[in-house]
Every structure is written in structure tokens, then in C-alpha cells.
Amino acid sequence: MRKPIIAGNWKMHKTVSEAVELCEALDRSVQDLDIEVVVCPPFTALSAVCALNMGKVKIGAQNVSIADAGAYTGEISPLMLVDTCCSYVIIGHSERRQHFGETDAVVNEKIHLALRHGLQPIVCIGESLDQRRAGKTEAVVVSQAKAAFADVAREQVPEIVIAYEPIWAIGTGETASAEDANQVIGTIRKTIAKIYDQEAADQIRIQYGGSVKPGNIQELMAQPEIDGALVGGASLDLKGFTAIVHYQKQQ
Ligand code: 13P
């Protein structure tokens, strides 16, 4: 049985005090939940939210460098993330692929580095609108998944979370239909089965991301292949994100 995981990607939002305020209240509200709740604040707020020693909410970073240390001005190493209290790190978000030139090869390198330091990668894959219109969705996600998992050992697969984020659904208010997201995620899971084996595919958790809101989370989570969500905009608001992580209460 895969444990659901809902993560908030705050992107480039929130000051230190805003981050602390949201995390304190969120942690209080999720104590009784039997799912994993993760927040990924900007780097500047990591130390402060870690100092809260939250009981339930786990912390992730939004990116990691390709090296342990060295002359990489402006970068943050996996050692530094572990030194705060990060247990997760988002890798290969479409915004990093698009605006910072991250290739599949870089994504794969970062996954290896994160795993070496005990950080659990949340690996983002997903097609653009043009690719979807051209009927290439499945080919794109299969190719991204294969590249991301290159040379990743079988025993490390359960450490990894995949986030299927169709680029056209990010920040647009457009969501893939729950059935559609379920189907693409099923294809991603089959790809993991082909690379490794069925057990690895059954173990790995795959989230959906792209305009997830309190109003659509329940339908998404009801799909058999969808194990969680990577939430952008709606994770910035305490009330909205609390409603999302408490999706089971809507039933
Ligand atoms: P939105 O939820 O704002 O569409 O963002 C999704 C996302 O990019 C999460 O990583």
C-alpha cells in the first residue's frame, strides 16, 4: 500500500516570517493525518522552518546543485540541504527545465547526487501544450522517466517520488481531468515496471501536479494510480492547503 504524499511547492514566494507562520499553523492542523505532508519553501526560509521541529510536516527544497561543494556561485549543495532538515528535494521542475536550461542529463545527475546524500527526490516530468496537441504526451513522459532513472539502482526506487506535471496545467487554472492524469500516471508506472520490475512499479509513489485546488483534490486522489499531489499556488494559502491535505474529510 503506497502512502499518499501531498507536497506544497512554494516556488519564489514567502519571507522567513511568513513561512514560519504558515508552517506552525499547518503542522498543528495535520497531526491526525495518515498521509505524508511536505512543504518546499525557498532556501532562505529552510533554517527557520527547520528550527520549528515540526512533528508531522516534512521539509523539502526546490532544487539542488550538481556538486557536493566547490566554485558554484549561487548554488546550494545537497550537504547544505541535509544540514538544515530537508528530507525531500524537487528535481527537474518544468520551470527549471524551461528557464534554467536543465536537461534530462542534469536531472539524472541531480537524482544520483540527492540519493547519495539521503535526500528523497521528487522528480518532475510532463509534456508541453504543443506536445499534448501533437499526441506526444505518453512518448514524452516515457522518455523523461527513462532518462531520469538512468543507472538508478533498483533498491533506491522506493526513495523516489515522481510528480507528473503537465506544463500546460501549471498555474493556468487548467487541470488535466482526473481520468487523464490517472492514465498518464499509469503509463509512467508501466515504464518503471519495464525498467525494473512490477514490484518497483507498485512501490513508487507518483503525484499529479498542475492547478490542484481544494475543489479537485478529492477526485484526483480517488484515482487508483494517483498517490498524491504537488501543489503550487494553492499551497501558499493556509486555508486552501489545509483543505487539500484533509481531502479525506470531504468524503
Ligand atoms: P500550480 O498548482 O500553481 O498550478 O503549480 C503546480 C506546480 O508547478 C507545482 O510544482
mmCIF file of all heavy atoms in Angstrom, residues 150-185:
data_model
loop_
_atom_site.group_PDB
_atom_site.id
_atom_site.type_symbol
_atom_site.label_atom_id
_atom_site.label_comp_id
_atom_site.label_asym_id
_atom_site.label_seq_id
_atom_site.Cartn_x
_atom_site.Cartn_y
_atom_site.Cartn_z
ATOM 1 N N ALA A 150 18.102 6.672 -15.331
ATOM 2 C CA ALA A 150 19.299 6.023 -15.869
ATOM 3 C C ALA A 150 20.287 5.703 -14.750
ATOM 4 O O ALA A 150 20.654 6.585 -13.971
ATOM 5 C CB ALA A 150 19.951 6.926 -16.922
ATOM 6 N N ASP A 151 20.679 4.449 -14.667
ATOM 7 C CA ASP A 151 21.671 3.965 -13.684
ATOM 8 C C ASP A 151 21.241 4.129 -12.227
ATOM 9 O O ASP A 151 22.083 4.086 -11.325
ATOM 10 C CB ASP A 151 23.039 4.651 -13.898
ATOM 11 C CG ASP A 151 23.636 4.297 -15.242
ATOM 12 O OD1 ASP A 151 23.479 3.138 -15.674
ATOM 13 O OD2 ASP A 151 24.224 5.197 -15.886
ATOM 14 N N VAL A 152 19.980 4.345 -11.992
ATOM 15 C CA VAL A 152 19.485 4.371 -10.604
ATOM 16 C C VAL A 152 19.243 2.928 -10.176
ATOM 17 O O VAL A 152 18.566 2.169 -10.885
ATOM 18 C CB VAL A 152 18.183 5.204 -10.476
ATOM 19 C CG1 VAL A 152 17.576 5.046 -9.083
ATOM 20 C CG2 VAL A 152 18.461 6.671 -10.779
ATOM 21 N N ALA A 153 19.804 2.549 -9.048
ATOM 22 C CA ALA A 153 19.715 1.157 -8.590
ATOM 23 C C ALA A 153 18.290 0.810 -8.170
ATOM 24 O O ALA A 153 17.563 1.657 -7.644
ATOM 25 C CB ALA A 153 20.667 0.941 -7.421
ATOM 26 N N ARG A 154 17.916 -0.429 -8.410
ATOM 27 C CA ARG A 154 16.577 -0.930 -8.073
ATOM 28 C C ARG A 154 16.186 -0.619 -6.630
ATOM 29 O O ARG A 154 15.058 -0.218 -6.344
ATOM 30 C CB ARG A 154 16.536 -2.444 -8.353
ATOM 31 C CG ARG A 154 15.432 -3.223 -7.675
ATOM 32 C CD ARG A 154 14.076 -2.926 -8.301
ATOM 33 N NE ARG A 154 12.995 -3.626 -7.642
ATOM 34 C CZ ARG A 154 12.370 -3.205 -6.521
ATOM 35 N NH1 ARG A 154 12.735 -2.076 -5.933
ATOM 36 N NH2 ARG A 154 11.395 -3.907 -6.010
ATOM 37 N N GLU A 155 17.120 -0.814 -5.691
ATOM 38 C CA GLU A 155 16.765 -0.632 -4.272
ATOM 39 C C GLU A 155 16.512 0.836 -3.914
ATOM 40 O O GLU A 155 15.956 1.133 -2.854
ATOM 41 C CB GLU A 155 17.813 -1.271 -3.341
ATOM 42 C CG GLU A 155 19.202 -0.723 -3.444
ATOM 43 C CD GLU A 155 20.060 -1.476 -4.473
ATOM 44 O OE1 GLU A 155 19.479 -2.133 -5.369
ATOM 45 O OE2 GLU A 155 21.292 -1.395 -4.384
ATOM 46 N N GLN A 156 16.922 1.749 -4.806
ATOM 47 C CA GLN A 156 16.690 3.169 -4.497
ATOM 48 C C GLN A 156 15.346 3.673 -5.027
ATOM 49 O O GLN A 156 14.908 4.769 -4.661
ATOM 50 C CB GLN A 156 17.842 3.993 -5.065
ATOM 51 C CG GLN A 156 19.148 3.642 -4.356
ATOM 52 C CD GLN A 156 20.204 4.673 -4.541
ATOM 53 O OE1 GLN A 156 20.711 4.837 -5.641
ATOM 54 N NE2 GLN A 156 20.540 5.377 -3.482
ATOM 55 N N VAL A 157 14.705 2.871 -5.850
ATOM 56 C CA VAL A 157 13.465 3.327 -6.484
ATOM 57 C C VAL A 157 12.383 3.746 -5.465
ATOM 58 O O VAL A 157 11.754 4.794 -5.632
ATOM 59 C CB VAL A 157 12.933 2.262 -7.483
ATOM 60 C CG1 VAL A 157 11.576 2.651 -8.043
ATOM 61 C CG2 VAL A 157 13.941 2.069 -8.608
ATOM 62 N N PRO A 158 12.179 2.990 -4.384
ATOM 63 C CA PRO A 158 11.130 3.409 -3.437
ATOM 64 C C PRO A 158 11.408 4.745 -2.729
ATOM 65 O O PRO A 158 10.497 5.337 -2.146
ATOM 66 C CB PRO A 158 11.091 2.259 -2.410
ATOM 67 C CG PRO A 158 11.752 1.113 -3.085
ATOM 68 C CD PRO A 158 12.757 1.686 -4.017
ATOM 69 N N GLU A 159 12.675 5.196 -2.796
ATOM 70 C CA GLU A 159 13.029 6.501 -2.202
ATOM 71 C C GLU A 159 12.534 7.659 -3.067
ATOM 72 O O GLU A 159 12.483 8.810 -2.614
ATOM 73 C CB GLU A 159 14.563 6.645 -2.091
ATOM 74 C CG GLU A 159 15.259 5.570 -1.274
ATOM 75 C CD GLU A 159 14.806 5.614 0.154
ATOM 76 O OE1 GLU A 159 14.789 6.712 0.719
ATOM 77 O OE2 GLU A 159 14.427 4.552 0.677
ATOM 78 N N ILE A 160 12.260 7.360 -4.310
ATOM 79 C CA ILE A 160 11.964 8.425 -5.277
ATOM 80 C C ILE A 160 10.452 8.617 -5.426
ATOM 81 O O ILE A 160 9.696 7.661 -5.414
ATOM 82 C CB ILE A 160 12.598 8.078 -6.647
ATOM 83 C CG1 ILE A 160 14.117 7.932 -6.483
ATOM 84 C CG2 ILE A 160 12.255 9.123 -7.705
ATOM 85 C CD1 ILE A 160 14.836 7.445 -7.733
ATOM 86 N N VAL A 161 10.058 9.876 -5.546
ATOM 87 C CA VAL A 161 8.670 10.215 -5.846
ATOM 88 C C VAL A 161 8.692 10.862 -7.233
ATOM 89 O O VAL A 161 9.577 11.659 -7.535
ATOM 90 C CB VAL A 161 8.105 11.221 -4.810
ATOM 91 C CG1 VAL A 161 6.697 11.668 -5.182
ATOM 92 C CG2 VAL A 161 8.130 10.618 -3.404
ATOM 93 N N ILE A 162 7.751 10.485 -8.070
ATOM 94 C CA ILE A 162 7.628 11.150 -9.373
ATOM 95 C C ILE A 162 6.430 12.089 -9.297
ATOM 96 O O ILE A 162 5.409 11.754 -8.690
ATOM 97 C CB ILE A 162 7.405 10.123 -10.517
ATOM 98 C CG1 ILE A 162 8.589 9.149 -10.601
ATOM 99 C CG2 ILE A 162 7.206 10.833 -11.858
ATOM 100 C CD1 ILE A 162 8.382 8.023 -11.627
ATOM 101 N N ALA A 163 6.584 13.282 -9.880
ATOM 102 C CA ALA A 163 5.435 14.188 -9.996
ATOM 103 C C ALA A 163 5.136 14.369 -11.475
ATOM 104 O O ALA A 163 5.978 14.887 -12.222
ATOM 105 C CB ALA A 163 5.735 15.525 -9.344
ATOM 106 N N TYR A 164 3.961 13.915 -11.903
ATOM 107 C CA TYR A 164 3.546 14.162 -13.278
ATOM 108 C C TYR A 164 2.870 15.528 -13.324
ATOM 109 O O TYR A 164 1.789 15.715 -12.759
ATOM 110 C CB TYR A 164 2.580 13.074 -13.772
ATOM 111 C CG TYR A 164 1.886 13.479 -15.049
ATOM 112 C CD1 TYR A 164 2.624 13.838 -16.181
ATOM 113 C CD2 TYR A 164 0.495 13.544 -15.133
ATOM 114 C CE1 TYR A 164 2.005 14.256 -17.341
ATOM 115 C CE2 TYR A 164 -0.142 13.955 -16.297
ATOM 116 C CZ TYR A 164 0.624 14.311 -17.399
ATOM 117 O OH TYR A 164 -0.004 14.741 -18.550
ATOM 118 N N GLU A 165 3.560 16.479 -13.954
ATOM 119 C CA GLU A 165 3.030 17.842 -14.042
ATOM 120 C C GLU A 165 2.940 18.268 -15.508
ATOM 121 O O GLU A 165 3.952 18.680 -16.089
ATOM 122 C CB GLU A 165 3.948 18.821 -13.296
ATOM 123 C CG GLU A 165 4.082 18.548 -11.816
ATOM 124 C CD GLU A 165 4.422 19.823 -11.044
ATOM 125 O OE1 GLU A 165 5.351 20.556 -11.438
ATOM 126 O OE2 GLU A 165 3.742 20.083 -10.055
ATOM 127 N N PRO A 166 1.761 18.153 -16.121
ATOM 128 C CA PRO A 166 1.634 18.672 -17.483
ATOM 129 C C PRO A 166 1.871 20.178 -17.458
ATOM 130 O O PRO A 166 1.230 20.899 -16.684
ATOM 131 C CB PRO A 166 0.190 18.327 -17.875
ATOM 132 C CG PRO A 166 -0.500 17.851 -16.643
ATOM 133 C CD PRO A 166 0.499 17.641 -15.564
ATOM 134 N N ILE A 167 2.795 20.642 -18.276
ATOM 135 C CA ILE A 167 3.230 22.048 -18.190
ATOM 136 C C ILE A 167 2.059 23.007 -18.421
ATOM 137 O O ILE A 167 1.950 24.041 -17.774
ATOM 138 C CB ILE A 167 4.372 22.305 -19.198
ATOM 139 C CG1 ILE A 167 5.576 21.425 -18.836
ATOM 140 C CG2 ILE A 167 4.784 23.779 -19.207
ATOM 141 C CD1 ILE A 167 6.662 21.391 -19.895
ATOM 142 N N TRP A 168 1.158 22.627 -19.317
ATOM 143 C CA TRP A 168 0.025 23.493 -19.655
ATOM 144 C C TRP A 168 -0.977 23.632 -18.502
ATOM 145 O O TRP A 168 -1.855 24.492 -18.536
ATOM 146 C CB TRP A 168 -0.681 22.960 -20.909
ATOM 147 C CG TRP A 168 -1.024 21.505 -20.821
ATOM 148 C CD1 TRP A 168 -0.222 20.475 -21.234
ATOM 149 C CD2 TRP A 168 -2.182 20.915 -20.256
ATOM 150 N NE1 TRP A 168 -0.832 19.280 -20.947
ATOM 151 C CE2 TRP A 168 -2.035 19.514 -20.363
ATOM 152 C CE3 TRP A 168 -3.350 21.428 -19.673
ATOM 153 C CZ2 TRP A 168 -3.001 18.618 -19.901
ATOM 154 C CZ3 TRP A 168 -4.317 20.537 -19.218
ATOM 155 C CH2 TRP A 168 -4.131 19.149 -19.332
ATOM 156 N N ALA A 169 -0.837 22.788 -17.479
ATOM 157 C CA ALA A 169 -1.769 22.855 -16.342
ATOM 158 C C ALA A 169 -1.176 23.603 -15.148
ATOM 159 O O ALA A 169 -1.849 23.794 -14.139
ATOM 160 C CB ALA A 169 -2.161 21.440 -15.920
ATOM 161 N N ILE A 170 0.087 24.044 -15.277
ATOM 162 C CA ILE A 170 0.753 24.687 -14.139
ATOM 163 C C ILE A 170 0.405 26.168 -14.088
ATOM 164 O O ILE A 170 0.696 26.923 -15.023
ATOM 165 C CB ILE A 170 2.287 24.491 -14.219
ATOM 166 C CG1 ILE A 170 2.625 23.005 -14.088
ATOM 167 C CG2 ILE A 170 2.994 25.324 -13.161
ATOM 168 C CD1 ILE A 170 4.104 22.696 -14.231
ATOM 169 N N GLY A 171 -0.243 26.573 -13.010
ATOM 170 C CA GLY A 171 -0.538 27.985 -12.775
ATOM 171 C C GLY A 171 -1.565 28.565 -13.737
ATOM 172 O O GLY A 171 -1.735 29.771 -13.825
ATOM 173 N N THR A 172 -2.257 27.720 -14.474
ATOM 174 C CA THR A 172 -3.175 28.203 -15.501
ATOM 175 C C THR A 172 -4.638 28.060 -15.100
ATOM 176 O O THR A 172 -5.518 28.612 -15.762
ATOM 177 C CB THR A 172 -2.995 27.385 -16.801
ATOM 178 O OG1 THR A 172 -3.228 26.001 -16.488
ATOM 179 C CG2 THR A 172 -1.605 27.546 -17.371
ATOM 180 N N GLY A 173 -4.888 27.287 -14.035
ATOM 181 C CA GLY A 173 -6.274 27.001 -13.665
ATOM 182 C C GLY A 173 -6.818 25.817 -14.452
ATOM 183 O O GLY A 173 -7.897 25.314 -14.190
ATOM 184 N N GLU A 174 -6.070 25.380 -15.458
ATOM 185 C CA GLU A 174 -6.477 24.203 -16.246
ATOM 186 C C GLU A 174 -5.906 22.957 -15.586
ATOM 187 O O GLU A 174 -4.719 22.889 -15.317
ATOM 188 C CB GLU A 174 -5.853 24.274 -17.648
ATOM 189 C CG GLU A 174 -6.362 25.405 -18.436
ATOM 190 C CD GLU A 174 -6.932 24.945 -19.752
ATOM 191 O OE1 GLU A 174 -7.013 23.736 -19.981
ATOM 192 O OE2 GLU A 174 -7.305 25.824 -20.518
ATOM 193 N N THR A 175 -6.762 21.998 -15.320
ATOM 194 C CA THR A 175 -6.268 20.737 -14.758
ATOM 195 C C THR A 175 -6.480 19.641 -15.778
ATOM 196 O O THR A 175 -7.486 19.647 -16.489
ATOM 197 C CB THR A 175 -7.107 20.293 -13.534
ATOM 198 O OG1 THR A 175 -7.658 21.449 -12.939
ATOM 199 C CG2 THR A 175 -6.281 19.538 -12.531
ATOM 200 N N ALA A 176 -5.564 18.707 -15.802
ATOM 201 C CA ALA A 176 -5.848 17.502 -16.581
ATOM 202 C C ALA A 176 -7.049 16.861 -15.901
ATOM 203 O O ALA A 176 -7.179 16.944 -14.675
ATOM 204 C CB ALA A 176 -4.639 16.576 -16.522
ATOM 205 N N SER A 177 -7.926 16.221 -16.661
ATOM 206 C CA SER A 177 -9.037 15.550 -15.985
ATOM 207 C C SER A 177 -8.437 14.433 -15.137
ATOM 208 O O SER A 177 -7.351 13.924 -15.439
ATOM 209 C CB SER A 177 -10.022 14.972 -17.006
ATOM 210 O OG SER A 177 -9.460 13.816 -17.598
ATOM 211 N N ALA A 178 -9.143 14.081 -14.075
ATOM 212 C CA ALA A 178 -8.617 13.070 -13.165
ATOM 213 C C ALA A 178 -8.341 11.764 -13.908
ATOM 214 O O ALA A 178 -7.326 11.112 -13.690
ATOM 215 C CB ALA A 178 -9.600 12.848 -12.020
ATOM 216 N N GLU A 179 -9.212 11.430 -14.851
ATOM 217 C CA GLU A 179 -9.056 10.172 -15.608
ATOM 218 C C GLU A 179 -7.825 10.248 -16.510
ATOM 219 O O GLU A 179 -7.077 9.282 -16.651
ATOM 220 C CB GLU A 179 -10.293 9.887 -16.481
ATOM 221 C CG GLU A 179 -11.557 9.559 -15.710
ATOM 222 C CD GLU A 179 -12.213 10.790 -15.089
ATOM 223 O OE1 GLU A 179 -11.917 11.932 -15.538
ATOM 224 O OE2 GLU A 179 -13.011 10.628 -14.151
ATOM 225 N N ASP A 180 -7.634 11.412 -17.103
ATOM 226 C CA ASP A 180 -6.499 11.627 -17.985
ATOM 227 C C ASP A 180 -5.185 11.534 -17.205
ATOM 228 O O ASP A 180 -4.230 10.873 -17.622
ATOM 229 C CB ASP A 180 -6.651 13.038 -18.569
ATOM 230 C CG ASP A 180 -6.127 13.115 -19.963
ATOM 231 O OD1 ASP A 180 -5.898 12.052 -20.550
ATOM 232 O OD2 ASP A 180 -5.949 14.248 -20.456
ATOM 233 N N ALA A 181 -5.151 12.223 -16.065
ATOM 234 C CA ALA A 181 -3.948 12.192 -15.219
ATOM 235 C C ALA A 181 -3.674 10.760 -14.767
ATOM 236 O O ALA A 181 -2.536 10.295 -14.781
ATOM 237 C CB ALA A 181 -4.143 13.107 -14.011
ATOM 238 N N ASN A 182 -4.744 10.049 -14.438
ATOM 239 C CA ASN A 182 -4.602 8.658 -13.990
ATOM 240 C C ASN A 182 -3.999 7.792 -15.093
ATOM 241 O O ASN A 182 -3.127 6.965 -14.843
ATOM 242 C CB ASN A 182 -5.978 8.111 -13.601
ATOM 243 C CG ASN A 182 -5.883 6.745 -12.964
ATOM 244 O OD1 ASN A 182 -5.290 6.588 -11.907
ATOM 245 N ND2 ASN A 182 -6.434 5.738 -13.624
ATOM 246 N N GLN A 183 -4.434 8.052 -16.325
ATOM 247 C CA GLN A 183 -3.948 7.238 -17.435
ATOM 248 C C GLN A 183 -2.453 7.496 -17.703
ATOM 249 O O GLN A 183 -1.669 6.562 -17.884
ATOM 250 C CB GLN A 183 -4.767 7.547 -18.684
ATOM 251 C CG GLN A 183 -4.506 6.522 -19.773
ATOM 252 C CD GLN A 183 -5.115 6.944 -21.092
ATOM 253 O OE1 GLN A 183 -6.193 7.529 -21.115
ATOM 254 N NE2 GLN A 183 -4.424 6.647 -22.180
ATOM 255 N N VAL A 184 -2.069 8.773 -17.705
ATOM 256 C CA VAL A 184 -0.660 9.086 -17.966
ATOM 257 C C VAL A 184 0.211 8.542 -16.829
ATOM 258 O O VAL A 184 1.282 7.972 -17.056
ATOM 259 C CB VAL A 184 -0.453 10.619 -18.138
ATOM 260 C CG1 VAL A 184 1.017 10.923 -18.404
ATOM 261 C CG2 VAL A 184 -1.311 11.165 -19.262
ATOM 262 N N ILE A 185 -0.275 8.673 -15.614
ATOM 263 C CA ILE A 185 0.495 8.162 -14.470
ATOM 264 C C ILE A 185 0.609 6.632 -14.542
ATOM 265 O O ILE A 185 1.654 6.064 -14.235
ATOM 266 C CB ILE A 185 -0.121 8.668 -13.137
ATOM 267 C CG1 ILE A 185 0.167 10.167 -13.011
ATOM 268 C CG2 ILE A 185 0.423 7.893 -11.936
ATOM 269 C CD1 ILE A 185 -0.419 10.852 -11.809
#
